[in-house]
Amino acid sequence: MRAGFAGGLALVNAKLWAAPGDAKLLVVMLRGAYDGSSLLVPYASDFYYRSRPSIAVPRPDSGDPNAAVALDSDWALNAAVKDSLLPLYKNKQAVLIPFSGSDDLSRSHFQAQDLMELGQGGGGALDYSSGYLNRLVEALSGSGSHSAASFTNNLTPVFKGAAQVPNVSLRGNMKGNLPSRQGELIASLYEGTKLSGLATAGMETRKIVAEALMNEMTESSRGAGAAIVFETRARAIAKLMRDKPAYSIGFVDVGGWDTHVDQGSAQGALAANLTGLAGGLSVFAQELRGLWRSTVIVVMSEFGRTFRENGSRGTDHGHGNTLWVLGGGISGGRIAGRQEAVSEANLFQNRDYQMLNDYRSVLAYLFARMYGFGGAALERVLPGAKADNYGFI
Amino acid sequence: MSEYARQVPLLLTLLAAVASGQAQEISLPNLQFLTRVTYGVTVRDLEALRALGREGYLDRELVFRGDDGLSAEVRSFIDALPVSRTRSEDLAAQLGEARRSAQGKSDDQKREVVKTLRKDFAQLDFQAFERRTVRALYSPHQLQEMLTWFWFNHFNVFQNKKQVLFLLPDYEERAIRSHVLGKFRELLRAVLMHPAMLVYLDNAENARDAINENYARELMELHTLGVHGGYTQSDVQALARILTGAGIDLSTRPNGTFGDSFKQGLFAFYPNRHDSGPKTFLAHDFPGDRGFSEIERAIDILCRHPSTARFISRKLAVYLLSDDPPQGLLDRMAETFSRTDGDIAATLRTLFTSREFSDPAYAGRKFKDPLQYVYSSIRLLYPEAVLRNYRPLAGALQQLGEPVYSRPTPDGYGMLERDWASSDQLEKRFEIARGFAGGRGRLFVTKEAIDAGIDPSQLAKARDAHPIDRAAIEPLVAPLLSPRTKDTLAKASNPEEWATLLLSAPEFMYR
């Protein structure tokens, strides 16, 4: 297995897309720490198969109908995503970055998710004053028509901050029933209060969404929404981002990844979640039509899971994980970032994947290339982060 | 004479006083106090506070009162719920019976059997929600009902995980509710020994040589010490080993000791699955023991740890006082918690009698979570007439992102303004306010009647029977409203619109 990057890390302000307003970004947060080792399978590692006697995904050449699909001599994809992520990868529209994540060591879902949404590095206390996507909106405020929407039940830390970002839960009835007279009276109730912006944005967003999704069925699942019903949400998000240029930066979360028990391998609970997630994202790509060429999706999770399976055919909280970048215009079809051999000796704390590719360095690289950010803008959005060259844009 | 009938003359007197312009009798400090220790202030709460004084009121409310003070109507509603007459042992037996009867049948048939049973179980969970809701809406002992939510949320379980579905009503009733004002250790122990928690956080699977860390980690991170409470990954692994053997037994075996194991309800401890090797947990040596005593000792260590005193005190203060409670108060609460060996009522008394709790600067600053928003809306508009249909409330909670018993993750729902104040949330609250006011007919007919295709005239009749009583409502909110809100309310063209605006007002989003 190779290590390191293609070349020097000096980034020119090379933009991927001609017009600054073109680029669209969707960040997908997998809450609960998904098991990257079951998605991107290190099939050349005997240690992987020894560590996971009941949940390893079978080798590509094993003749097993559930066998993983080889991507290169080291890595294979879970067959659960062979109709969704695999075609994207083959069309060079998907990049996978193993050994990635944050340097959080709490192994607490909630601490690590917040850290990642705030865009912080590990170590210090969490600063909830702003999330990195909010800072991104701020940094882009001078260029083009970039603004954002959170496709979540509530506004989570990633979008907290100075820029006002509406959220759209995509839950229940999309149609608003409030007569305009009452809407006006309610707006006047809020005039001059600190919630004023939220109240009016809420009513305006409802109108926009109702119009864009007039006949759309919306999912009725609970909480962050199981990945299994993700497709309906993904379709609605694509329509909103496609038809409402105002929503050029989006965020959505998907729950159900905390697989401590019976996670399965190419079949089972985790595989079903992966199928739902990757299937939803391919639908998203299709629904965007021509705009897919200038769109990037980043999929990440707060940390990875233990490399070895636990006592219940599941996995416990770990460290490094595999991050995805999808996009119609990227140079994909590759495994990117720093790597090292998958072996017992290389495990972090003798239990987890190392973290060699900081999620912030991936985001910094992406923002530099997508938006032409120089050092000052990057410093505003991701203070202290270094944009490594991942070579896919 | 029922509790309700006894209250009526008192209410009438008070309402008459209110209507005749004596609204100034409602003091702002009393209103601000009660707004934070109830699910919404009613005339009855004000009257109790006035009669007992703040100290007397706290004396009354800091003791668990069960269903004392519920009207005969509410009591019979609760008694009529099948969940009130169902033991989880019987449900486990039903499940076992169904599995046996499905033996030899096709996989499809087996799935069908399980599906049908899970539907029944889900109905029982809905009844648990109804039971919890009528208590929250109509019990004079509001604090214990608020704490039932708080502690359930602190020790959250998710109804759709495996057997939690049928274990949940018993968990809420017996592990949580009866301990909400007792000793923290008793509460923690009841939770640890409840099969709902053991299934939810996978400890039922945790065994010697087959370790599962899930419960051990959350027990420290979320239930006791807090994420910065001073434990390490090796403490997580040690506690996971200590917790091995604590599991469930869904068989029909009676309670008692069976060779090495013991069973209590659906809880069981299996010494053969317990890792009896030596361990070091939070700097304490565990030489190794086959018994449940290791778990008892770990509970002691966790409950007496200063991080737990701080973590629990802070969480209570965040729930009841402020998103950012002052450190001095937190120190005093933690001191009480430690001094009283984790007495929840005593810790709360330190909070409620503090200078900070009476400081107007802290009043009206807590953004209501969806449940508080929904319950306080109903208590304000319809304080006396008992609802017939609780589905619209569950629907509102689903819409607002706090679906009943459906938080999948063990952290529970958030309690901070930043967790809930979003554009989507506010807009949905406006829609829901409109439904509670204009669509109130649905609250006062049964869900069965609605499912059977109710005649619109029946709905209209239910609606007319429960008018918006503006004269009774106004005095309860007037002291809290800004001049701007009052001016806007004055523009309402009818009582429904007035109520919609009132429940949509920024002041009503806070408590």
PDB file of all heavy atoms in Angstrom, chain B residues 489-509:
ATOM      1  N   LEU B 489     -52.303  41.131  19.722  1.00  0.00           N
ATOM      2  CA  LEU B 489     -53.429  40.280  20.136  1.00  0.00           C
ATOM      3  C   LEU B 489     -54.748  41.027  20.011  1.00  0.00           C
ATOM      4  O   LEU B 489     -55.786  40.434  19.700  1.00  0.00           O
ATOM      5  CB  LEU B 489     -53.225  39.800  21.578  1.00  0.00           C
ATOM      6  CG  LEU B 489     -52.188  38.690  21.787  1.00  0.00           C
ATOM      7  CD1 LEU B 489     -51.923  38.476  23.273  1.00  0.00           C
ATOM      8  CD2 LEU B 489     -52.658  37.393  21.153  1.00  0.00           C
ATOM      9  N   ALA B 490     -54.685  42.327  20.244  1.00  0.00           N
ATOM     10  CA  ALA B 490     -55.919  43.120  20.181  1.00  0.00           C
ATOM     11  C   ALA B 490     -56.476  43.158  18.761  1.00  0.00           C
ATOM     12  O   ALA B 490     -57.654  43.472  18.561  1.00  0.00           O
ATOM     13  CB  ALA B 490     -55.647  44.542  20.688  1.00  0.00           C
ATOM     14  N   LYS B 491     -55.647  42.823  17.780  1.00  0.00           N
ATOM     15  CA  LYS B 491     -56.114  42.848  16.386  1.00  0.00           C
ATOM     16  C   LYS B 491     -56.800  41.549  15.975  1.00  0.00           C
ATOM     17  O   LYS B 491     -57.296  41.435  14.852  1.00  0.00           O
ATOM     18  CB  LYS B 491     -54.926  43.098  15.446  1.00  0.00           C
ATOM     19  CG  LYS B 491     -54.337  44.485  15.604  1.00  0.00           C
ATOM     20  CD  LYS B 491     -53.163  44.674  14.664  1.00  0.00           C
ATOM     21  CE  LYS B 491     -52.472  45.995  14.992  1.00  0.00           C
ATOM     22  NZ  LYS B 491     -51.072  46.011  14.556  1.00  0.00           N
ATOM     23  N   ALA B 492     -56.792  40.558  16.859  1.00  0.00           N
ATOM     24  CA  ALA B 492     -57.393  39.273  16.505  1.00  0.00           C
ATOM     25  C   ALA B 492     -58.870  39.454  16.209  1.00  0.00           C
ATOM     26  O   ALA B 492     -59.566  40.189  16.911  1.00  0.00           O
ATOM     27  CB  ALA B 492     -57.191  38.281  17.646  1.00  0.00           C
ATOM     28  N   SER B 493     -59.328  38.763  15.158  1.00  0.00           N
ATOM     29  CA  SER B 493     -60.719  38.974  14.750  1.00  0.00           C
ATOM     30  C   SER B 493     -61.685  38.006  15.408  1.00  0.00           C
ATOM     31  O   SER B 493     -62.886  38.166  15.314  1.00  0.00           O
ATOM     32  CB  SER B 493     -60.817  38.882  13.229  1.00  0.00           C
ATOM     33  OG  SER B 493     -60.274  37.650  12.817  1.00  0.00           O
ATOM     34  N   ASN B 494     -61.165  36.970  16.050  1.00  0.00           N
ATOM     35  CA  ASN B 494     -62.056  36.040  16.753  1.00  0.00           C
ATOM     36  C   ASN B 494     -61.247  35.284  17.803  1.00  0.00           C
ATOM     37  O   ASN B 494     -60.004  35.327  17.779  1.00  0.00           O
ATOM     38  CB  ASN B 494     -62.735  35.083  15.765  1.00  0.00           C
ATOM     39  CG  ASN B 494     -61.697  34.334  14.919  1.00  0.00           C
ATOM     40  OD1 ASN B 494     -60.781  33.705  15.457  1.00  0.00           O
ATOM     41  ND2 ASN B 494     -61.820  34.426  13.607  1.00  0.00           N
ATOM     42  N   PRO B 495     -61.892  34.570  18.698  1.00  0.00           N
ATOM     43  CA  PRO B 495     -61.154  33.902  19.783  1.00  0.00           C
ATOM     44  C   PRO B 495     -60.121  32.888  19.281  1.00  0.00           C
ATOM     45  O   PRO B 495     -59.061  32.727  19.895  1.00  0.00           O
ATOM     46  CB  PRO B 495     -62.249  33.191  20.590  1.00  0.00           C
ATOM     47  CG  PRO B 495     -63.490  33.933  20.272  1.00  0.00           C
ATOM     48  CD  PRO B 495     -63.348  34.434  18.873  1.00  0.00           C
ATOM     49  N   GLU B 496     -60.426  32.207  18.164  1.00  0.00           N
ATOM     50  CA  GLU B 496     -59.480  31.216  17.638  1.00  0.00           C
ATOM     51  C   GLU B 496     -58.200  31.910  17.175  1.00  0.00           C
ATOM     52  O   GLU B 496     -57.098  31.432  17.435  1.00  0.00           O
ATOM     53  CB  GLU B 496     -60.099  30.432  16.473  1.00  0.00           C
ATOM     54  CG  GLU B 496     -61.105  29.372  16.902  1.00  0.00           C
ATOM     55  CD  GLU B 496     -62.420  29.961  17.395  1.00  0.00           C
ATOM     56  OE1 GLU B 496     -62.781  31.086  16.955  1.00  0.00           O
ATOM     57  OE2 GLU B 496     -63.078  29.317  18.233  1.00  0.00           O
ATOM     58  N   GLU B 497     -58.388  33.016  16.469  1.00  0.00           N
ATOM     59  CA  GLU B 497     -57.210  33.732  16.000  1.00  0.00           C
ATOM     60  C   GLU B 497     -56.425  34.293  17.188  1.00  0.00           C
ATOM     61  O   GLU B 497     -55.193  34.263  17.220  1.00  0.00           O
ATOM     62  CB  GLU B 497     -57.617  34.862  15.051  1.00  0.00           C
ATOM     63  CG  GLU B 497     -56.423  35.518  14.387  1.00  0.00           C
ATOM     64  CD  GLU B 497     -56.835  36.390  13.210  1.00  0.00           C
ATOM     65  OE1 GLU B 497     -57.134  37.587  13.423  1.00  0.00           O
ATOM     66  OE2 GLU B 497     -56.877  35.867  12.083  1.00  0.00           O
ATOM     67  N   TRP B 498     -57.151  34.767  18.173  1.00  0.00           N
ATOM     68  CA  TRP B 498     -56.499  35.297  19.376  1.00  0.00           C
ATOM     69  C   TRP B 498     -55.645  34.212  20.031  1.00  0.00           C
ATOM     70  O   TRP B 498     -54.475  34.437  20.379  1.00  0.00           O
ATOM     71  CB  TRP B 498     -57.572  35.810  20.344  1.00  0.00           C
ATOM     72  CG  TRP B 498     -57.010  36.337  21.628  1.00  0.00           C
ATOM     73  CD1 TRP B 498     -56.466  37.565  21.841  1.00  0.00           C
ATOM     74  CD2 TRP B 498     -56.925  35.641  22.883  1.00  0.00           C
ATOM     75  NE1 TRP B 498     -56.044  37.677  23.140  1.00  0.00           N
ATOM     76  CE2 TRP B 498     -56.311  36.510  23.802  1.00  0.00           C
ATOM     77  CE3 TRP B 498     -57.314  34.359  23.300  1.00  0.00           C
ATOM     78  CZ2 TRP B 498     -56.090  36.151  25.135  1.00  0.00           C
ATOM     79  CZ3 TRP B 498     -57.087  33.999  24.618  1.00  0.00           C
ATOM     80  CH2 TRP B 498     -56.475  34.889  25.524  1.00  0.00           C
ATOM     81  N   ALA B 499     -56.221  33.016  20.167  1.00  0.00           N
ATOM     82  CA  ALA B 499     -55.480  31.924  20.805  1.00  0.00           C
ATOM     83  C   ALA B 499     -54.288  31.489  19.944  1.00  0.00           C
ATOM     84  O   ALA B 499     -53.209  31.184  20.456  1.00  0.00           O
ATOM     85  CB  ALA B 499     -56.409  30.740  21.067  1.00  0.00           C
ATOM     86  N   THR B 500     -54.477  31.471  18.625  1.00  0.00           N
ATOM     87  CA  THR B 500     -53.370  31.124  17.722  1.00  0.00           C
ATOM     88  C   THR B 500     -52.207  32.099  17.915  1.00  0.00           C
ATOM     89  O   THR B 500     -51.043  31.694  18.022  1.00  0.00           O
ATOM     90  CB  THR B 500     -53.834  31.167  16.250  1.00  0.00           C
ATOM     91  OG1 THR B 500     -54.934  30.274  16.093  1.00  0.00           O
ATOM     92  CG2 THR B 500     -52.713  30.772  15.301  1.00  0.00           C
ATOM     93  N   LEU B 501     -52.532  33.368  17.957  1.00  0.00           N
ATOM     94  CA  LEU B 501     -51.490  34.382  18.126  1.00  0.00           C
ATOM     95  C   LEU B 501     -50.828  34.265  19.492  1.00  0.00           C
ATOM     96  O   LEU B 501     -49.610  34.378  19.627  1.00  0.00           O
ATOM     97  CB  LEU B 501     -52.070  35.784  17.935  1.00  0.00           C
ATOM     98  CG  LEU B 501     -52.576  36.100  16.524  1.00  0.00           C
ATOM     99  CD1 LEU B 501     -53.249  37.465  16.483  1.00  0.00           C
ATOM    100  CD2 LEU B 501     -51.427  36.033  15.523  1.00  0.00           C
ATOM    101  N   LEU B 502     -51.633  34.007  20.507  1.00  0.00           N
ATOM    102  CA  LEU B 502     -51.080  33.909  21.858  1.00  0.00           C
ATOM    103  C   LEU B 502     -50.077  32.749  21.941  1.00  0.00           C
ATOM    104  O   LEU B 502     -48.974  32.895  22.457  1.00  0.00           O
ATOM    105  CB  LEU B 502     -52.218  33.718  22.866  1.00  0.00           C
ATOM    106  CG  LEU B 502     -51.790  33.589  24.327  1.00  0.00           C
ATOM    107  CD1 LEU B 502     -51.005  34.815  24.784  1.00  0.00           C
ATOM    108  CD2 LEU B 502     -53.021  33.387  25.226  1.00  0.00           C
ATOM    109  N   LEU B 503     -50.470  31.586  21.417  1.00  0.00           N
ATOM    110  CA  LEU B 503     -49.565  30.433  21.471  1.00  0.00           C
ATOM    111  C   LEU B 503     -48.381  30.590  20.509  1.00  0.00           C
ATOM    112  O   LEU B 503     -47.408  29.842  20.602  1.00  0.00           O
ATOM    113  CB  LEU B 503     -50.308  29.128  21.124  1.00  0.00           C
ATOM    114  CG  LEU B 503     -51.484  28.699  21.990  1.00  0.00           C
ATOM    115  CD1 LEU B 503     -51.929  27.289  21.621  1.00  0.00           C
ATOM    116  CD2 LEU B 503     -51.178  28.774  23.477  1.00  0.00           C
ATOM    117  N   SER B 504     -48.493  31.546  19.577  1.00  0.00           N
ATOM    118  CA  SER B 504     -47.387  31.792  18.641  1.00  0.00           C
ATOM    119  C   SER B 504     -46.450  32.887  19.133  1.00  0.00           C
ATOM    120  O   SER B 504     -45.383  33.098  18.546  1.00  0.00           O
ATOM    121  CB  SER B 504     -47.934  32.220  17.267  1.00  0.00           C
ATOM    122  OG  SER B 504     -48.743  31.216  16.725  1.00  0.00           O
ATOM    123  N   ALA B 505     -46.853  33.573  20.176  1.00  0.00           N
ATOM    124  CA  ALA B 505     -46.100  34.751  20.616  1.00  0.00           C
ATOM    125  C   ALA B 505     -44.724  34.355  21.150  1.00  0.00           C
ATOM    126  O   ALA B 505     -44.559  33.272  21.720  1.00  0.00           O
ATOM    127  CB  ALA B 505     -46.878  35.492  21.704  1.00  0.00           C
ATOM    128  N   PRO B 506     -43.738  35.221  20.962  1.00  0.00           N
ATOM    129  CA  PRO B 506     -42.393  34.890  21.462  1.00  0.00           C
ATOM    130  C   PRO B 506     -42.386  34.609  22.964  1.00  0.00           C
ATOM    131  O   PRO B 506     -41.668  33.709  23.422  1.00  0.00           O
ATOM    132  CB  PRO B 506     -41.556  36.125  21.119  1.00  0.00           C
ATOM    133  CG  PRO B 506     -42.505  37.191  20.707  1.00  0.00           C
ATOM    134  CD  PRO B 506     -43.765  36.511  20.258  1.00  0.00           C
ATOM    135  N   GLU B 507     -43.187  35.332  23.734  1.00  0.00           N
ATOM    136  CA  GLU B 507     -43.200  35.108  25.184  1.00  0.00           C
ATOM    137  C   GLU B 507     -43.629  33.686  25.519  1.00  0.00           C
ATOM    138  O   GLU B 507     -43.196  33.127  26.524  1.00  0.00           O
ATOM    139  CB  GLU B 507     -44.163  36.078  25.885  1.00  0.00           C
ATOM    140  CG  GLU B 507     -43.754  37.538  25.818  1.00  0.00           C
ATOM    141  CD  GLU B 507     -44.298  38.249  24.588  1.00  0.00           C
ATOM    142  OE1 GLU B 507     -44.607  37.565  23.573  1.00  0.00           O
ATOM    143  OE2 GLU B 507     -44.435  39.477  24.632  1.00  0.00           O
ATOM    144  N   PHE B 508     -44.504  33.101  24.681  1.00  0.00           N
ATOM    145  CA  PHE B 508     -45.019  31.774  24.990  1.00  0.00           C
ATOM    146  C   PHE B 508     -44.013  30.680  24.611  1.00  0.00           C
ATOM    147  O   PHE B 508     -44.189  29.519  24.958  1.00  0.00           O
ATOM    148  CB  PHE B 508     -46.370  31.533  24.305  1.00  0.00           C
ATOM    149  CG  PHE B 508     -47.119  30.367  24.880  1.00  0.00           C
ATOM    150  CD1 PHE B 508     -47.664  30.440  26.163  1.00  0.00           C
ATOM    151  CD2 PHE B 508     -47.250  29.178  24.176  1.00  0.00           C
ATOM    152  CE1 PHE B 508     -48.325  29.356  26.724  1.00  0.00           C
ATOM    153  CE2 PHE B 508     -47.915  28.086  24.719  1.00  0.00           C
ATOM    154  CZ  PHE B 508     -48.455  28.181  25.999  1.00  0.00           C
ATOM    155  N   MET B 509     -42.960  31.038  23.896  1.00  0.00           N
ATOM    156  CA  MET B 509     -41.922  30.051  23.554  1.00  0.00           C
ATOM    157  C   MET B 509     -40.992  29.802  24.735  1.00  0.00           C
ATOM    158  O   MET B 509     -40.218  28.862  24.737  1.00  0.00           O
ATOM    159  CB  MET B 509     -41.089  30.542  22.366  1.00  0.00           C
ATOM    160  CG  MET B 509     -41.891  30.750  21.096  1.00  0.00           C
ATOM    161  SD  MET B 509     -42.712  29.236  20.576  1.00  0.00           S
ATOM    162  CE  MET B 509     -44.032  29.912  19.567  1.00  0.00           C
TER     163      MET B 509
END
